Protein backbone atom coordinates (compact mmCIF):
# COMPACT_ATOMS: atom_id res chain seq x y z
CA UNK A 1 0.00 0.00 0.00
CA UNK A 2 2.84 2.36 0.86
CA UNK A 3 4.32 1.51 -2.53
CA UNK A 4 1.14 2.67 -4.30
CA UNK A 5 1.21 6.03 -2.47
CA UNK A 6 4.83 6.44 -3.38
CA UNK A 7 3.99 5.98 -7.09
CA UNK A 8 1.18 8.56 -6.90
CA UNK A 9 3.52 11.04 -5.25
CA UNK A 10 6.08 10.56 -8.00
CA UNK A 11 3.40 11.08 -10.67
CA UNK A 12 2.16 14.31 -9.07
CA UNK A 13 5.72 15.55 -8.76
CA UNK A 14 6.45 14.65 -12.38
CA UNK A 15 3.37 16.48 -13.56
CA UNK A 16 4.29 19.54 -11.51
CA UNK A 17 7.82 19.66 -12.88
CA UNK A 18 6.48 19.15 -16.42
CA UNK A 19 4.01 22.07 -16.36
CA UNK A 20 6.59 24.29 -14.69
CA UNK A 21 8.89 23.63 -17.63
CA UNK A 22 6.16 24.63 -20.14
CA UNK A 23 5.37 28.06 -18.64
CA UNK A 24 6.80 31.33 -20.02
CA UNK A 25 8.01 34.38 -18.12
CA UNK A 26 7.98 38.00 -19.22
CA UNK A 27 7.51 38.35 -23.01
CA UNK A 28 10.58 39.38 -25.03
CA UNK A 29 11.30 43.12 -25.28
CA UNK A 30 12.10 44.81 -28.60
CA UNK A 31 13.32 48.41 -28.99
CA UNK A 32 10.95 49.16 -31.88
CA UNK A 33 7.89 47.30 -30.51
CA UNK A 34 5.61 47.60 -27.51
CA UNK A 35 3.65 44.87 -25.82
CA UNK A 36 -0.07 45.62 -25.86
CA UNK A 37 -1.29 47.22 -22.70
CA UNK A 38 -3.57 44.31 -21.71
CA UNK A 39 -0.56 41.97 -21.11
CA UNK A 40 1.33 44.34 -18.89
CA UNK A 41 -0.01 43.01 -15.57
CA UNK A 42 0.30 39.29 -16.41
CA UNK A 43 3.41 37.58 -15.10
CA UNK A 44 2.80 33.88 -15.88
CA UNK A 45 1.93 32.49 -19.29
CA UNK A 46 1.13 28.89 -20.12
CA UNK A 47 2.04 26.80 -23.09
CA UNK A 48 0.16 28.10 -26.20
CA UNK A 49 -0.73 31.45 -24.60
CA UNK A 50 -0.03 34.37 -26.86
CA UNK A 51 0.70 38.09 -26.58
CA UNK A 52 0.41 40.91 -29.15
CA UNK A 53 2.86 43.63 -30.05
CA UNK A 54 2.50 46.92 -31.80
CA UNK A 55 5.08 49.27 -33.22
CA UNK A 56 6.59 51.69 -30.69
CA UNK A 57 5.72 55.40 -31.00
CA UNK A 58 7.70 56.81 -33.89
CA UNK A 59 7.65 53.49 -35.75
CA UNK A 60 5.33 52.35 -38.45
CA UNK A 61 4.25 48.73 -39.12
CA UNK A 62 5.49 47.41 -42.45
CA UNK A 63 4.57 43.72 -42.12
CA UNK A 64 4.66 40.55 -40.05
CA UNK A 65 2.33 39.26 -37.39
CA UNK A 66 1.60 41.03 -34.17
CA UNK A 67 1.35 37.72 -32.25
CA UNK A 68 4.01 35.78 -30.32
CA UNK A 69 3.30 32.38 -28.64
CA UNK A 70 4.52 30.71 -25.51
CA UNK A 71 5.79 27.35 -26.74
CA UNK A 72 7.24 24.93 -24.17
CA UNK A 73 8.53 27.66 -21.95
CA UNK A 74 9.84 29.98 -24.68
CA UNK A 75 8.39 32.89 -26.58
CA UNK A 76 8.38 32.51 -30.33
CA UNK A 77 10.19 35.51 -31.89
CA UNK A 78 7.84 38.23 -33.11
CA UNK A 79 8.16 38.81 -36.83
CA UNK A 80 6.36 42.16 -36.73
CA UNK A 81 8.45 44.65 -38.69
CA UNK A 82 8.45 48.31 -37.70
CA UNK A 83 10.15 51.10 -39.56
CA UNK A 84 11.29 54.31 -37.94
CA UNK A 85 9.16 57.30 -39.01
CA UNK A 86 11.37 59.85 -40.77
CA UNK A 87 10.52 63.18 -42.22
CA UNK A 88 12.12 64.36 -45.45
CA UNK A 89 15.17 66.62 -45.26
CA UNK A 90 14.27 70.26 -45.13
CA UNK A 91 15.91 72.31 -47.82
CA UNK A 92 15.10 76.00 -47.66
CA UNK A 93 16.98 78.35 -49.92
CA UNK A 94 18.68 81.13 -47.97
CA UNK A 95 18.22 79.50 -44.58
CA UNK A 96 20.80 78.25 -42.12
CA UNK A 97 21.42 74.48 -41.99
CA UNK A 98 20.44 72.43 -38.94
CA UNK A 99 21.26 68.93 -37.70
CA UNK A 100 20.00 66.17 -39.96
CA UNK A 101 18.19 64.00 -37.37
CA UNK A 102 14.72 63.81 -38.78
CA UNK A 103 12.97 61.12 -36.69
CA UNK A 104 9.40 61.37 -35.52
CA UNK A 105 8.86 64.08 -32.87
CA UNK A 106 12.06 65.92 -33.79
CA UNK A 107 11.57 69.68 -33.73
CA UNK A 108 13.60 72.09 -35.77
CA UNK A 109 13.92 75.87 -35.73
CA UNK A 110 14.30 77.57 -39.06
CA UNK A 111 16.54 80.63 -39.27
CA UNK A 112 16.93 82.61 -42.46
CA UNK A 113 20.21 84.05 -43.67
CA UNK A 114 20.78 87.73 -43.10
CA UNK A 115 18.75 89.85 -45.49
CA UNK A 116 16.02 87.23 -45.70
CA UNK A 117 12.84 87.00 -43.70
CA UNK A 118 10.89 83.91 -42.69
CA UNK A 119 7.53 83.50 -44.33
CA UNK A 120 5.69 80.75 -42.42
CA UNK A 121 6.35 78.91 -39.17
CA UNK A 122 9.69 78.95 -37.40
CA UNK A 123 9.22 75.76 -35.33
CA UNK A 124 8.48 72.53 -37.18
CA UNK A 125 7.82 69.04 -35.80
CA UNK A 126 8.15 65.71 -37.57
CA UNK A 127 4.74 64.07 -37.24
CA UNK A 128 3.81 60.36 -37.13
CA UNK A 129 2.62 60.48 -40.73
CA UNK A 130 6.16 61.45 -41.80
CA UNK A 131 5.45 65.06 -42.68
CA UNK A 132 6.48 68.34 -41.14
CA UNK A 133 3.87 70.45 -39.43
CA UNK A 134 3.15 73.22 -39.94
CA UNK A 135 4.21 73.43 -43.57
CA UNK A 136 7.86 74.10 -44.36
CA UNK A 137 8.36 77.88 -44.57
CA UNK A 138 10.38 79.90 -47.07
CA UNK A 139 13.02 82.60 -46.66
CA UNK A 140 12.17 85.67 -48.71
CA UNK A 141 14.39 88.69 -49.30
CA UNK A 142 13.69 91.45 -46.78
CA UNK A 143 11.72 94.31 -48.27
CA UNK A 144 9.80 97.22 -46.83
CA UNK A 145 6.49 98.00 -48.46
CA UNK A 146 5.73 101.64 -49.17
CA UNK A 147 4.90 103.21 -45.79
CA UNK A 148 1.38 104.38 -45.13
CA UNK A 149 1.48 108.00 -44.02
CA UNK A 150 -1.78 109.03 -42.41
CA UNK A 151 -2.29 112.70 -43.32
CA UNK A 152 0.99 112.67 -45.18
CA UNK A 153 2.68 111.31 -48.27
CA UNK A 154 5.91 109.99 -49.69
CA UNK A 155 7.75 113.02 -50.94
CA UNK A 156 10.37 111.36 -53.10
CA UNK A 157 11.11 107.88 -54.41
CA UNK A 158 7.66 106.31 -54.56
CA UNK A 159 7.95 102.55 -55.15
CA UNK A 160 6.07 99.44 -54.15
CA UNK A 161 8.99 97.81 -52.30
CA UNK A 162 12.27 98.99 -50.84
CA UNK A 163 15.44 97.13 -49.94
CA UNK A 164 17.00 97.47 -46.49
CA UNK A 165 19.00 100.71 -46.13
CA UNK A 166 17.03 102.40 -48.93
CA UNK A 167 15.75 105.83 -47.95
CA UNK A 168 12.76 107.90 -48.77
CA UNK A 169 11.43 111.23 -47.60
CA UNK A 170 7.94 111.82 -46.35
CA UNK A 171 5.93 114.95 -45.68
CA UNK A 172 2.63 115.88 -44.09
CA UNK A 173 -0.38 117.40 -45.79
CA UNK A 174 -1.20 120.99 -45.02
CA UNK A 175 -2.52 121.54 -41.53
CA UNK A 176 -0.38 118.72 -40.10
CA UNK A 177 3.04 118.86 -38.49
CA UNK A 178 5.68 116.21 -39.04
CA UNK A 179 6.69 114.72 -35.69
CA UNK A 180 10.08 113.16 -36.34
CA UNK A 181 12.47 113.18 -39.27
CA UNK A 182 11.35 113.32 -42.88
CA UNK A 183 14.12 110.91 -44.03
CA UNK A 184 13.23 107.31 -43.22
CA UNK A 185 15.26 104.16 -43.85
CA UNK A 186 14.07 100.65 -44.59
CA UNK A 187 15.36 98.44 -41.75
CA UNK A 188 16.94 94.99 -41.98
CA UNK A 189 13.72 93.56 -40.50
CA UNK A 190 11.56 94.93 -43.33
CA UNK A 191 10.14 97.68 -41.11
CA UNK A 192 10.67 101.40 -41.59
CA UNK A 193 12.87 102.84 -38.92
CA UNK A 194 11.47 105.74 -36.94
CA UNK A 195 8.58 106.48 -39.27
CA UNK A 196 7.40 109.98 -38.34
CA UNK A 197 3.83 110.92 -37.60
CA UNK A 198 1.61 113.70 -38.95
CA UNK A 199 -0.25 115.40 -36.14
CA UNK A 200 -2.72 118.24 -36.49
CA UNK A 201 -0.89 121.54 -36.41
CA UNK A 202 -0.64 123.05 -32.96
CA UNK A 203 0.24 126.72 -32.63
CA UNK A 204 0.56 129.19 -29.80
CA UNK A 205 -0.77 132.63 -30.63
CA UNK A 206 1.49 135.54 -29.73
CA UNK A 207 1.62 135.71 -25.93
CA UNK A 208 -0.49 138.46 -24.45
CA UNK A 209 1.64 140.39 -21.97
CA UNK A 210 -0.35 142.83 -19.88
CA UNK A 211 2.00 145.75 -19.19
CA UNK A 212 4.70 144.01 -21.11
CA UNK A 213 5.71 143.06 -24.62
CA UNK A 214 7.46 140.48 -26.74
CA UNK A 215 11.09 141.42 -26.74
CA UNK A 216 12.26 139.37 -29.73
CA UNK A 217 10.70 137.41 -32.57
CA UNK A 218 7.23 138.95 -32.89
CA UNK A 219 5.02 136.64 -34.97
CA UNK A 220 1.36 135.76 -35.26
CA UNK A 221 1.84 132.09 -34.38
CA UNK A 222 4.52 129.95 -32.84
CA UNK A 223 5.17 126.26 -33.20
CA UNK A 224 5.56 124.05 -30.12
CA UNK A 225 9.09 124.33 -28.64
CA UNK A 226 9.62 127.79 -30.17
CA UNK A 227 10.74 130.39 -27.68
CA UNK A 228 10.13 134.09 -27.28
CA UNK A 229 11.53 136.51 -24.76
CA UNK A 230 9.19 138.94 -23.11
CA UNK A 231 9.76 142.03 -21.00
CA UNK A 232 7.70 144.45 -18.90
CA UNK A 233 7.09 148.10 -19.59
CA UNK A 234 8.77 150.63 -17.36
CA UNK A 235 7.45 150.70 -13.83
CA UNK A 236 6.68 146.96 -13.78
CA UNK A 237 8.63 144.01 -12.46
CA UNK A 238 8.84 140.74 -14.39
CA UNK A 239 7.71 137.91 -12.16
CA UNK A 240 9.04 134.69 -13.74
CA UNK A 241 11.41 133.90 -16.57
CA UNK A 242 11.63 136.16 -19.62
CA UNK A 243 12.13 133.11 -21.90
CA UNK A 244 8.83 131.37 -22.59
CA UNK A 245 8.29 128.25 -24.66
CA UNK A 246 5.27 127.29 -26.72
CA UNK A 247 4.00 124.04 -25.19
CA UNK A 248 2.90 120.89 -27.00
CA UNK A 249 -0.78 121.78 -26.56
CA UNK A 250 -0.40 125.27 -28.04
CA UNK A 251 -0.26 126.99 -24.65
CA UNK A 252 2.63 129.09 -23.41
CA UNK A 253 4.41 127.45 -20.55
CA UNK A 254 4.98 129.55 -17.43
CA UNK A 255 4.12 132.92 -18.94
CA UNK A 256 5.51 135.52 -16.52
CA UNK A 257 3.57 138.40 -15.07
CA UNK A 258 4.31 142.12 -14.97
CA UNK A 259 3.58 143.48 -11.53
CA UNK A 260 3.52 147.09 -10.34
CA UNK A 261 6.81 148.22 -8.96
CA UNK A 262 6.05 149.19 -5.40
CA UNK A 263 7.76 152.49 -4.67
CA UNK A 264 9.37 153.27 -1.35
CA UNK A 265 6.87 156.08 -0.79
CA UNK A 266 4.00 153.59 -0.89
CA UNK A 267 2.74 155.13 -4.13
CA UNK A 268 2.02 153.19 -7.36
CA UNK A 269 3.70 153.76 -10.71
CA UNK A 270 2.05 154.76 -14.00
CA UNK A 271 -1.42 153.45 -14.91
CA UNK A 272 -1.31 149.81 -16.14
CA UNK A 273 -2.12 149.24 -19.80
CA UNK A 274 -4.58 146.67 -21.10
CA UNK A 275 -5.07 145.55 -24.67
CA UNK A 276 -8.03 147.15 -26.51
CA UNK A 277 -8.70 149.50 -23.60
CA UNK A 278 -7.66 153.00 -22.62
CA UNK A 279 -7.94 155.18 -19.59
CA UNK A 280 -11.01 157.33 -19.46
CA UNK A 281 -10.46 160.94 -20.36
CA UNK A 282 -10.37 162.18 -16.76
CA UNK A 283 -7.16 160.19 -16.02
CA UNK A 284 -3.74 160.92 -17.41
CA UNK A 285 -1.85 158.03 -19.00
CA UNK A 286 1.43 159.89 -18.56
CA UNK A 287 1.19 160.50 -14.81
CA UNK A 288 4.26 158.79 -13.33
CA UNK A 289 2.88 158.09 -9.89
CA UNK A 290 -0.45 157.43 -8.26
CA UNK A 291 -1.03 157.74 -4.54
CA UNK A 292 -2.12 154.80 -2.44
CA UNK A 293 -5.93 154.12 -2.68
CA UNK A 294 -6.07 155.85 -6.09
CA UNK A 295 -8.66 154.37 -8.52
CA UNK A 296 -8.49 154.40 -12.29
CA UNK A 297 -11.27 153.82 -14.85
CA UNK A 298 -10.89 152.37 -18.33
CA UNK A 299 -13.06 152.02 -21.39
CA UNK A 300 -12.86 149.64 -24.32
CA UNK A 301 -11.45 150.93 -27.62
CA UNK A 302 -13.90 151.15 -30.48
CA UNK A 303 -14.86 147.72 -31.83
CA UNK A 304 -14.35 146.03 -28.48
CA UNK A 305 -16.66 145.51 -25.57
CA UNK A 306 -15.83 144.46 -22.08
CA UNK A 307 -16.20 140.73 -22.62
CA UNK A 308 -13.82 140.69 -25.57
CA UNK A 309 -13.71 141.50 -29.26
CA UNK A 310 -16.84 142.20 -31.38
CA UNK A 311 -17.89 139.73 -34.06
CA UNK A 312 -20.83 139.57 -36.45
CA UNK A 313 -22.49 136.35 -37.61
CA UNK A 314 -21.62 135.22 -41.17
CA UNK A 315 -23.06 137.66 -43.76
CA UNK A 316 -26.52 136.63 -45.02
CA UNK A 317 -26.72 134.81 -48.36
CA UNK A 318 -28.78 136.52 -51.07
CA UNK A 319 -30.75 134.57 -53.66
CA UNK A 320 -29.29 134.92 -57.18
CA UNK A 321 -26.36 136.98 -55.87
CA UNK A 322 -22.64 136.31 -55.56
CA UNK A 323 -20.58 137.52 -52.66
CA UNK A 324 -16.99 138.54 -53.30
CA UNK A 325 -15.44 138.25 -49.94
CA UNK A 326 -14.38 135.37 -47.78
CA UNK A 327 -16.74 134.68 -44.96
CA UNK A 328 -15.98 133.39 -41.51
CA UNK A 329 -17.87 131.78 -38.67
CA UNK A 330 -17.15 134.99 -36.77
CA UNK A 331 -16.70 138.13 -38.81
CA UNK A 332 -14.61 140.80 -37.05
CA UNK A 333 -15.76 144.36 -36.52
CA UNK A 334 -15.29 146.58 -39.61
CA UNK A 335 -15.29 143.70 -42.12
CA UNK A 336 -17.14 144.56 -45.35
CA UNK A 337 -18.83 142.27 -47.88
CA UNK A 338 -20.19 143.16 -51.37
CA UNK A 339 -22.93 141.49 -53.36
CA UNK A 340 -23.50 141.31 -57.12
CA UNK A 341 -26.66 139.98 -58.77
CA UNK A 342 -26.26 137.07 -61.17
CA UNK A 343 -29.73 137.86 -62.61
CA UNK A 344 -31.99 140.86 -62.07
CA UNK A 345 -30.96 144.14 -60.52
CA UNK A 346 -29.78 144.84 -57.03
CA UNK A 347 -32.20 146.54 -54.62
CA UNK A 348 -30.74 147.75 -51.32
CA UNK A 349 -27.18 148.10 -50.03
CA UNK A 350 -24.50 146.70 -52.31
CA UNK A 351 -22.04 146.62 -49.41
CA UNK A 352 -22.64 145.95 -45.73
CA UNK A 353 -20.17 145.96 -42.84
CA UNK A 354 -19.92 144.53 -39.35
CA UNK A 355 -20.78 147.30 -36.85
CA UNK A 356 -19.38 147.86 -33.40
CA UNK A 357 -22.43 146.33 -31.75
CA UNK A 358 -21.92 143.02 -33.62
CA UNK A 359 -24.69 143.42 -36.23
CA UNK A 360 -24.53 144.05 -39.98
CA UNK A 361 -24.84 147.68 -40.98
CA UNK A 362 -27.90 147.07 -43.21
CA UNK A 363 -30.28 144.30 -44.21
CA UNK A 364 -29.02 142.22 -47.16
CA UNK A 365 -29.98 143.47 -50.67
CA UNK A 366 -32.31 141.66 -53.08
CA UNK A 367 -31.97 140.74 -56.74
CA UNK A 368 -35.20 141.48 -58.64
CA UNK A 369 -36.33 141.48 -62.23
CA UNK A 370 -35.64 139.23 -65.22
CA UNK A 371 -34.81 135.63 -64.32
C1 LIG B 1 7.63 64.42 -28.26
O1 LIG B 1 8.56 65.38 -27.77
C2 LIG B 1 8.08 66.11 -26.65
C3 LIG B 1 9.14 67.11 -26.30
O2 LIG B 1 9.53 67.83 -27.44
C4 LIG B 1 7.81 65.17 -25.50
O3 LIG B 1 7.25 65.92 -24.43
C5 LIG B 1 6.82 64.10 -25.94
O4 LIG B 1 6.64 63.18 -24.92
C6 LIG B 1 7.32 63.39 -27.18
N1 LIG B 1 6.29 62.48 -27.64
C7 LIG B 1 6.56 61.25 -27.96
C8 LIG B 1 5.38 60.42 -28.35
O5 LIG B 1 7.69 60.79 -27.95
C1 LIG C 1 0.26 64.76 -40.65
O1 LIG C 1 -0.19 64.85 -39.31
C2 LIG C 1 -0.37 66.17 -38.81
C3 LIG C 1 -0.71 66.13 -37.34
O2 LIG C 1 -1.49 65.06 -37.01
C4 LIG C 1 -1.44 66.86 -39.64
O3 LIG C 1 -1.61 68.19 -39.17
C5 LIG C 1 -0.99 66.88 -41.10
O4 LIG C 1 -2.02 67.43 -41.89
C6 LIG C 1 -0.70 65.46 -41.59
N1 LIG C 1 -0.13 65.56 -42.93
C7 LIG C 1 -0.47 64.74 -43.91
C8 LIG C 1 0.22 64.97 -45.22
O5 LIG C 1 -1.27 63.85 -43.74
C1 LIG D 1 20.16 106.69 -46.43
O1 LIG D 1 20.42 107.77 -45.56
C2 LIG D 1 21.50 107.54 -44.69
C3 LIG D 1 21.55 108.72 -43.73
O2 LIG D 1 21.50 109.93 -44.41
C4 LIG D 1 22.78 107.38 -45.49
O3 LIG D 1 23.86 107.12 -44.60
C5 LIG D 1 22.61 106.22 -46.44
O4 LIG D 1 23.74 106.11 -47.28
C6 LIG D 1 21.36 106.41 -47.31
N1 LIG D 1 21.14 105.19 -48.08
C7 LIG D 1 21.07 105.19 -49.41
C8 LIG D 1 20.85 103.87 -50.04
O5 LIG D 1 21.18 106.20 -50.07
C1 LIG E 1 13.87 127.04 -26.28
O1 LIG E 1 14.53 127.13 -25.04
C2 LIG E 1 14.84 125.89 -24.43
C3 LIG E 1 15.40 126.17 -23.03
O2 LIG E 1 16.41 127.11 -23.09
C4 LIG E 1 15.84 125.15 -25.33
O3 LIG E 1 16.13 123.89 -24.76
C5 LIG E 1 15.22 124.99 -26.69
O4 LIG E 1 16.16 124.38 -27.55
C6 LIG E 1 14.78 126.33 -27.27
N1 LIG E 1 14.04 126.08 -28.51
C7 LIG E 1 14.41 126.57 -29.69
C8 LIG E 1 13.56 126.20 -30.85
O5 LIG E 1 15.40 127.26 -29.81
C1 LIG F 1 -26.60 148.19 -33.63
O1 LIG F 1 -26.15 149.11 -34.62
C2 LIG F 1 -27.05 149.32 -35.68
C3 LIG F 1 -26.40 150.24 -36.67
O2 LIG F 1 -25.15 150.69 -36.25
C4 LIG F 1 -28.33 149.88 -35.14
O3 LIG F 1 -29.28 150.04 -36.18
C5 LIG F 1 -28.92 148.96 -34.13
O4 LIG F 1 -30.08 149.48 -33.53
C6 LIG F 1 -27.91 148.67 -33.03
N1 LIG F 1 -28.43 147.66 -32.16
C7 LIG F 1 -28.30 147.73 -30.85
C8 LIG F 1 -28.88 146.57 -30.07
O5 LIG F 1 -27.74 148.64 -30.30
Amino acid sequence: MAHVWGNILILVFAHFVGSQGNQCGEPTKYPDRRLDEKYHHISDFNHDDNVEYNCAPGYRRTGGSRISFCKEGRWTPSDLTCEMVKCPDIKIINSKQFSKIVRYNTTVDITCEQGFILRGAQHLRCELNGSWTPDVPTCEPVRCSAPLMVNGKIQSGVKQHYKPLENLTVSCTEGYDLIGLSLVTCGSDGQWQRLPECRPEVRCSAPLMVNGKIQSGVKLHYKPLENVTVSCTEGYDLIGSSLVTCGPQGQWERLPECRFKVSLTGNCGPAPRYPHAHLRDEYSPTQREHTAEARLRYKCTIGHRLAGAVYCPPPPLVRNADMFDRTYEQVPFGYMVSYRCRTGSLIGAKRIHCTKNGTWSAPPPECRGKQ
Side-chain angles (χ1 to χ4, degrees), residues 127 129 131 133:
E127 295 290 347
N129 55 15
S131 51
T133 49

Side-chain angles (χ1 to χ4, degrees), residues 94-331:
N94 300 315
S95 86
K96 299 218 171 93
Q97 290 306 308
F98 55 89
S99 89
K100 293 233 168 176
I101 314 159
V102 284
R103 310 171 59 135
Y104 159 66
N105 211 25
T106 304
T107 58
V108 297
D109 274 7
I110 310 293
T111 313
C112 293
E113 305 273 7
Q114 188 149 17
F116 294 85
I117 199 160
L118 193 72
R119 183 154 305 156
Q122 190 186 4
H123 307 281
L124 304 181
R125 183 183 294 273
C126 178
E127 295 290 347
L128 260 184
N129 55 15
S131 51
W132 292 103
T133 49
D135 287 343
V136 176
T138 55
C139 288
E140 308 278 336
V142 170
R143 292 188 305 184
C144 292
S145 359
L148 182 73
M149 289 292 292
V150 179
N151 299 314
K153 63 175 199 293
I154 301 170
Q155 184 77 17
S156 69
V158 184
K159 289 200 281 183
Q160 213 158 9
H161 296 288
Y162 300 79
K163 291 191 197 126
L165 298 182
E166 274 192 303
N167 296 322
L168 55 77
T169 57
V170 294
S171 63
C172 292
T173 44
E174 216 180 301
Y176 291 85
D177 279 337
L178 190 81
I179 311 296
L181 295 175
S182 59
L183 185 82
V184 288
T185 306
C186 175
S188 55
D189 55 354
Q191 301 292 319
W192 291 99
Q193 317 252 284
R194 295 179 301 278
L195 196 62
E197 232 186 286
C198 292
R199 295 214 197 118
E201 233 170 46
V202 170
R203 297 286 181 269
C204 289
S205 19
L208 189 68
M209 288 294 292
V210 177
N211 300 308
K213 63 176 198 294
I214 300 169
Q215 186 74 21
S216 68
V218 182
K219 290 201 280 182
L220 264 175
H221 297 288
Y222 298 80
K223 288 183 188 168
L225 296 183
E226 277 191 308
N227 296 321
V228 292
T229 54
V230 295
S231 63
C232 293
T233 44
E234 216 193 306
Y236 292 84
D237 282 330
L238 188 81
I239 311 297
S241 161
S242 61
L243 184 80
V244 288
T245 306
C246 175
Q249 315 297 334
Q251 302 288 329
W252 292 101
E253 287 173 351
R254 294 180 301 280
L255 199 60
E257 206 187 308
C258 291
R259 214 177 274 165
F260 280 120
K261 241 182 193 132
V262 179
S263 81
L264 289 175
T265 59
N267 290 346
C268 291
R273 281 183 232 156
Y274 299 102
H276 313 301
H278 49 74
L279 274 175
R280 291 175 74 115
D281 297 341
E282 59 266 41
Y283 305 97
S284 159
T286 57
Q287 190 179 325
R288 295 188 67 94
E289 244 181 296
H290 294 270
T291 53
E293 305 295 314
R295 284 167 161 265
L296 299 172
R297 288 166 73 89
Y298 291 81
K299 64 183 180 191
C300 293
T301 54
I302 194 156
H304 294 85
R305 56 181 168 208
L306 213 49
V310 170
Y311 294 103
C312 289
L317 293 175
V318 172
R319 204 178 134 84
N320 295 328
D322 290 323
M323 203 158 41
F324 287 99
D325 313 273
R326 254 186 93 167
T327 96
Y328 305 88
E329 271 305 303
Q330 289 185 309
V331 182

Side-chain angles (χ1 to χ4, degrees), residues 5 14 23 26 35 43-44 46 49 54 61 71 75 119 141 146 152 167 169 208 247 273 275 305 313-314 320 329 367:
W5 280 114
Q23 277 198 316
E26 203 188 337
L35 191 65
S43 52
D44 291 321
N46 293 322
D49 279 352
N54 234 322
R61 182 178 174 185
K71 289 287 184 198
W75 289 106
R119 183 154 305 156
N167 296 322
T169 57
L208 189 68
R273 281 183 232 156
R305 56 181 168 208
N320 295 328
E329 271 305 303
C367 293

